[in-house]
Amino acid sequence: MATAIHGHLHKRRRVCSAAVPVAVAPIDSLADELLFLVLDRVAAADPRALKSFALASRACHAAESRHRRVLRPYRADLLRAALARYPTAVRLDLTLCPRVPGAALAALSSAPMPSLRAVDLSRSRGFGAPGLAALVAACPGLADLDLSNGVDLGDAAAAELARARGLQRLCLSRCKPMTDMGLGCIAVGCPDLRELTLNWCLGITDLGVQLLALKCKKLRTLNLSYTMISKDCLPAIMKLPNLEVLALAGCVGIDDDALGGLENECSKSLRVLDLLTCRNVTHTGVSSVVKAVPNLLELNLSYCCNVTPSLGKCFQMLPRLQTLKLEGCKIMADGLKYIGISCVSLRELSLSKCSGVTDTDLSFVVSRLKNLLKLDITCNRNITDVSLAAITSSCPSLISLRMESCSHFSSEGLRLIGKRCCHLEELDITDSDLDDEGLKALSGCSKLSVLKIGICMRISDEGLIHIGKSCPELRDIDLYRSGGISDEGVTQIAQGCPMLESINLSYCTEITDVSLASLSKCAKLNTLEIRGCPSVSSAGLSEIAIGCRLLAELDVKKCFAINDVGMLFLSQFSHSLRQINLSYCSVTDIGLLSLSSICGLQNMTIVHLAGITPNGLMAALMVSGGLTRVKLHAAFRSMMPPHMLKVVEARGCAFQWIDKPFKVFYLPPCKPRCRRFEVELLFVLTLLICLL
């Protein structure tokens, strides 16, 4: 009876389930807001997945087209098609295209892009004034344009830019042919400019800057670093009512006399002033500046003038100063003490590479700066644990502490950091006496996102395990030449730090493919340096290629067991790769040619590769359309046809020829079974590539 009832209920349940189908909403019925949230998560996990999504159906294709806001085409000839498919894009990033011919920009005139507001051409060449004219005409809403490194752009190009009347941000770094005439056109045509960068524009003088200050009253950021300006343009600049950031780094015409003329001026809006490497400026000129800009928040005097008591006293006129950079300055007697007395509101202080810093002065300064958040004392080799004790006790709220090559700190002193500065997010103690007990103490800094502990010869896996267990937010770790590290420590970091983006294991000779296999689980990893690790092989690199789809920078120099198999896996899975160093690997023409299929690859270093032939190298260079820089051994220069090299250079690739002797290294024996597997796999993959 029970069995019959059970059978009846089961049959009824099946009938009901068949009669009431589950309603599944079609994807095109979802609101764009919900759909775009899904696509955002898909793109964060694997940008290439968006292409698969678009191929699923017409509705998915249309949704992906509406969702895309940033375009990064690999080739300039794809530009028109990309803009046609994504009409709602607001930013066009052409940094992956080393050469953008004017014809490619001219093609935009037939398909206006009213939504496009930002264009980045900072790494592209091949266009001139006609191309910029077409770009401006096709993008009436253009507000942000980056033309950095436009070494061929002059006044004619500037005249075309002047037609973009809505332009708010313009970067012209290293546009050396441009003169005051071109700058004048921009000043008259673009009155809404908020941010303008002119560093290394050697043709710009006081006349052009004065006209700019007269016409562009809305300027907030102005970078005139390494230009030929003098004191004559400073009064006009200081009259800009909204100017907040002014960079004058490396301006030889800026001296005490130029700054002295500002005493009668007063800019209440200026917040940031950069006088880096203005070597003709002394404390006298700085005194004039602080009188003219009483509301200054950030001041950079690095490599500028000696830090004297007079300089320290003048900072009393800057009660709101929060950032002071004195990198490379000579600290005179009592100079730091007066800074501690005058700058009680400081939140960031840089004393990197300063001479004359003593324990007494540094201890006094940090005891006064209770709100300090960032401190840089890199390469201050005379300070000891006395300073470190004062720093950790007086500044418990530090979020950034950089103290590379401070060789007189002991392991006991370094432990104070972890015990007292629990809010640290960035710590650089490269080349120090750190040991495992110190790492254990540092594990108390659970918010660490950047940890640089390279050349720390006393640390081992035991200490690294504590970091992996206690610092889940770690994104960047540098273990360069930390010889005591092996697979166990790296595995713990990989398992405990899922947000890891960059790791440097160069010359950690004990690590093997086990480390790479564990790191392959870190999906956000984009930078991997394993130079000089002879025990890693293509098997481990293949794990990285499959698991880390965002990998952009890879250094495998002197990894002798990495061969063509690893390159084939990279070409298949690492489509985000931008930079690679292959010197002294076992890669041959096959592997190099497979790498050339990565469209976004821009930078290659292949100085010493015994398996590379001139013909194979030339073939790879001809196929790689996105290369911008290649470092080669000088011996190849005479072996390759000059006309073919010119073709590659014409596409925007620059060659760097290195004449270094080949060094013979011990090659670890390869296990026969592994070697046979690699040979068979290489044969299969090569056959598949040929068939495709």
Side-chain angles (χ1 to χ4, degrees):
M1 184 69 178
T3 304
I5 294 175
H6 178 75
H8 175 72
L9 291 176
H10 182 67
K11 181 178 180 181
R12 184 178 180 182
R13 191 178 296 118
R14 283 189 300 169
V15 171
C16 291
S17 62
V20 186
V22 178
V24 179
I27 195 167
D28 54 354
S29 67
L30 294 177
D32 279 353
E33 292 78 5
L34 295 176
L35 196 56
F36 289 175
L37 287 174
V38 173
L39 289 173
D40 286 337
R41 293 201 173 189
V42 170
D46 185 359
R48 295 193 308 152
L50 291 177
K51 183 177 180 180
S52 301
F53 179 89
L55 295 174
S57 68
R58 290 182 179 180
C60 293
H61 186 279
E64 198 267 339
S65 296
R66 296 194 305 271
H67 169 262
R68 187 73 64 93
R69 293 292 182 266
V70 180
L71 300 182
R72 298 188 71 192
Y74 291 123
R75 302 200 315 265
D77 58 333
L78 300 176
L79 180 56
R80 186 176 180 180
L83 292 174
R85 178 177 173 182
Y86 302 103
T88 59
V90 297
R91 179 176 178 81
L92 176 60
D93 185 349
L94 293 167
T95 55
L96 297 180
C97 303
R99 185 170 179 82
V100 179
L105 295 177
L108 301 179
S109 58
S110 60
M113 296 290 298
S115 64
L116 204 61
R117 294 185 55 81
V119 177
D120 190 345
L121 284 159
S122 60
R123 297 185 181 181
S124 306
R125 295 186 182 181
F127 60 90
L132 290 177
L135 177 65
V136 171
C139 306
L142 191 62
D144 185 344
L145 181 59
D146 193 341
L147 297 173
S148 300
N149 308 304
V151 293
D152 300 323
L153 301 179
D155 293 339
E160 299 300 338
L161 293 177
R163 301 178 187 273
R165 298 193 62 83
L167 209 57
Q168 297 184 10
R169 179 184 178 274
L170 178 60
C171 185
L172 298 171
S173 297
R174 289 172 287 280
C175 293
K176 297 180 181 180
M178 191 170 297
T179 67
D180 291 335
M181 183 178 295
L183 183 58
C185 293
I186 294 173
V188 174
C190 306
D192 289 336
L193 274 178
R194 265 74 165 177
E195 182 178 341
L196 179 60
T197 302
L198 296 168
N199 59 304
W200 288 107
C201 292
L202 302 180
I204 302 299
T205 66
D206 296 327
L207 182 62
V209 176
Q210 287 171 342
L211 180 59
L212 179 72
L214 180 65
K215 294 294 183 179
C216 300
K217 296 294 185 181
K218 298 180 181 180
L219 271 176
R220 295 179 180 175
T221 300
L222 180 59
N223 189 339
L224 297 170
S225 299
Y226 304 100
T227 58
M228 297 295 105
I229 63 169
S230 68
K231 64 179 181 179
D232 294 338
C233 68
L234 288 186
I237 294 173
M238 297 297 286
K239 287 185 174 65
L240 287 168
N242 301 304
L243 190 65
E244 297 179 357
V245 180
L246 177 61
L248 302 173
C251 293
V252 294
I254 302 300
D255 54 15
D256 288 346
D257 185 36
L259 299 178
L262 299 180
E263 291 188 355
N264 297 325
E265 306 290 340
C266 184
S267 175
K268 295 183 179 180
S269 64
L270 197 63
R271 299 290 185 268
V272 180
L273 179 61
D274 187 354
L275 294 173
L276 170 72
T277 65
C278 289
R279 300 186 183 277
N280 296 324
V281 173
T282 67
H283 71 274
T284 304
V286 177
S287 299
S288 302
V289 168
V290 298
K291 292 177 183 177
V293 283
N295 296 319
L296 207 62
L297 299 179
E298 180 176 335
L299 179 60
N300 188 351
L301 298 175
S302 299
Y303 300 99
C304 182
C305 56
N306 295 335
V307 180
T308 62
S310 299
L311 180 66
K313 289 177 182 178
C314 77
F315 291 140
Q316 293 178 349
M317 292 179 279
L318 299 175
R320 301 175 60 190
L321 190 66
Q322 295 183 3
T323 300
L324 180 60
K325 298 180 180 180
L326 301 171
E327 181 178 347
C329 293
K330 185 176 181 180
I331 309 297
M332 310 303 289
D334 295 330
L336 273 185
K337 287 185 177 180
Y338 281 98
I339 288 178
I341 295 172
S342 305
C343 307
V344 292
S345 298
L346 274 187
R347 296 194 173 189
E348 180 177 354
L349 176 62
S350 176
L351 299 173
S352 173
K353 303 175 185 176
C354 288
S355 61
V357 178
T358 64
D359 283 332
T360 303
D361 291 344
L362 186 56
S363 299
F364 179 80
V365 167
V366 296
S367 68
R368 303 275 300 186
L369 306 180
K370 300 296 184 180
N371 298 319
L372 200 64
L373 297 178
K374 297 183 179 181
L375 178 62
D376 188 349
I377 51 174
T378 298
C379 294
N380 280 271
R381 301 180 184 278
N382 294 327
I383 56 179
T384 66
D385 289 347
V386 174
S387 293
L388 197 54
I391 292 169
T392 55
S393 61
S394 301
C395 308
S397 299
L398 277 178
I399 61 173
S400 175
L401 178 58
R402 304 179 65 182
M403 37 189 284
E404 176 184 353
S405 297
C406 293
S407 52
H408 287 170
F409 290 148
S410 68
S411 57
E412 289 77 12
L414 294 171
R415 292 172 197 169
L416 297 175
I417 300 173
K419 294 178 180 178
R420 297 176 179 176
C421 302
C422 58
H423 299 291
L424 272 179
E425 298 174 10
E426 178 185 12
L427 178 61
D428 186 350
I429 47 178
T430 302
D431 190 15
S432 68
D433 198 39
L434 183 70
D435 58 12
D436 288 337
E437 287 299 318
L439 277 179
K440 183 178 180 180
L442 289 178
S443 65
C445 305
S446 59
K447 297 181 180 180
L448 272 177
S449 62
V450 179
L451 178 60
K452 297 185 181 297
I453 49 177
I455 324 180
C456 293
M457 311 307 294
R458 299 180 61 191
I459 64 174
S460 67
D461 294 334
E462 180 182 350
L464 210 57
I465 288 172
H466 293 291
I467 298 295
K469 289 181 178 179
S470 305
C471 303
E473 299 180 21
L474 198 64
R475 285 174 167 78
D476 183 356
I477 184 167
D478 187 345
L479 296 164
Y480 175 80
R481 289 192 184 275
S482 296
I485 301 300
S486 68
D487 293 332
E488 184 181 2
V490 177
T491 300
Q492 187 63 55
I493 291 292
Q495 293 176 350
C497 309
M499 309 296 289
L500 196 66
E501 297 176 3
S502 174
I503 184 168
N504 187 346
L505 295 169
S506 296
Y507 300 104
C508 294
T509 55
E510 298 300 316
I511 70 166
T512 68
D513 289 338
V514 174
S515 291
L516 300 191
S518 62
L519 289 172
S520 68
K521 305 300 188 297
C522 301
K524 294 188 176 182
L525 191 70
N526 60 59
T527 302
L528 175 63
E529 298 183 55
I530 49 176
R531 174 187 299 200
C533 298
S535 297
V536 299
S537 70
S538 291
L541 188 58
S542 65
E543 297 274 0
I544 292 291
I546 295 172
C548 305
R549 300 297 181 90
L550 301 180
L551 188 67
E553 297 184 18
L554 177 64
D555 187 347
V556 291
K557 179 179 179 180
K558 299 180 183 177
C559 294
F560 312 114
I562 288 181
N563 54 26
D564 293 338
V565 174
M567 301 305 103
L568 289 167
F569 272 97
L570 289 176
S571 65
Q572 183 70 20
F573 299 102
S574 300
H575 295 276
S576 299
L577 195 64
R578 302 288 176 263
Q579 178 176 322
I580 188 168
N581 188 342
L582 296 171
S583 296
Y584 290 103
C585 293
S586 300
V587 176
T588 68
D589 292 343
I590 296 175
L592 196 61
L593 193 59
S594 66
L595 279 180
S596 62
S597 65
I598 302 177
C599 299
L601 189 62
Q602 295 180 318
N603 193 326
M604 292 179 64
T605 300
I606 44 180
V607 177
H608 289 301
L609 276 180
I612 297 296
T613 65
N615 290 336
L617 176 59
M618 199 69 250
L621 293 176
M622 293 297 292
V623 174
S624 300
L627 287 175
T628 58
R629 181 172 174 268
V630 178
K631 188 182 294 186
L632 292 167
H633 196 277
F636 278 109
R637 193 168 194 172
S638 60
M639 300 179 187
M640 294 188 291
H643 67 280
M644 299 185 75
L645 287 178
K646 289 181 180 179
V647 170
V648 178
E649 290 175 336
R651 293 189 314 205
C653 180
F655 290 99
Q656 183 178 357
W657 304 100
I658 307 297
D659 189 10
K660 288 185 177 179
F662 182 84
K663 296 181 180 179
V664 178
F665 295 94
Y666 168 71
L667 299 178
C670 185
K671 295 180 180 179
R673 186 176 179 181
C674 296
R675 180 60 182 167
R676 181 180 177 183
F677 167 76
E678 290 181 352
V679 171
E680 292 175 351
L681 182 58
L682 177 59
F683 174 77
V684 172
L685 291 176
T686 305
L687 183 60
L688 287 174
I689 289 177
C690 294
L691 292 175
L692 293 174

